[in-house]
Amino acid sequence: MNECDIKDVPNDVPVKLRVMQWNIGHFAMGLSYTSSITHEEYPERVMEYRRKLNEAHPDIIFCCEYSEDMVNASGIDPAIKARDAIFQNYDQFSIGSLPSSASYMRTAQFSRLEASEASTETVYAHTVAAGRYYHTQTLKLNGHK
């Protein structure tokens, strides 16, 4: 597709959606020991995440192991919200609930498309840890769900 916004494509034009599934791992870049980003590390880390998203240029992003705070609050500095830091170019977002047994297992969806219905969560009946769920969101493209 050209560099136009996907929402502006006429109905009779074939559409290519870019979908990204990202196990964000609490912003650990695949390394569990880096899941607590400090305020000092934040500028470099946020630029790295933004660069990766700009390269992939997804229309829809599905995240698992999502934390709303990219950087936790410290004694003097407030928390930095991931939504504002990384996903600010996505108009629509839906963040799942926190299961009581696994607070790190939140899911999130970010999209450039309009949501047509409220998101839903379905808890798995049989899992190794209680409260795990999948999260769905119905989106609209050119008036179609």
Side-chain angles (χ1 to χ4, degrees), residues 96-124:
S97 63
L98 285 171
S100 59
S101 63
S103 63
Y104 61 90
M105 293 303 295
R106 182 172 273 188
T107 63
Q109 298 169 1
F110 299 92
S111 176
R112 298 173 199 264
L113 305 177
E114 179 184 350
S116 67
E117 299 172 11
S119 63
T120 62
E121 293 177 11
T122 304
V123 176
Y124 289 106

Side-chain angles (χ1 to χ4, degrees), residues 17 25 31 38 40 57 80 100:
L17 286 175
L31 305 169
T38 66
E40 293 75 31
H57 195 65
I80 298 173
S100 59

Side-chain angles (χ1 to χ4, degrees), residues 36-49:
S36 296
I37 298 171
T38 66
H39 281 82
E40 293 75 31
E41 296 169 317
Y42 168 75
E44 182 179 336
R45 296 300 279 300
V46 77
M47 292 309 293
E48 186 174 0
Y49 281 114

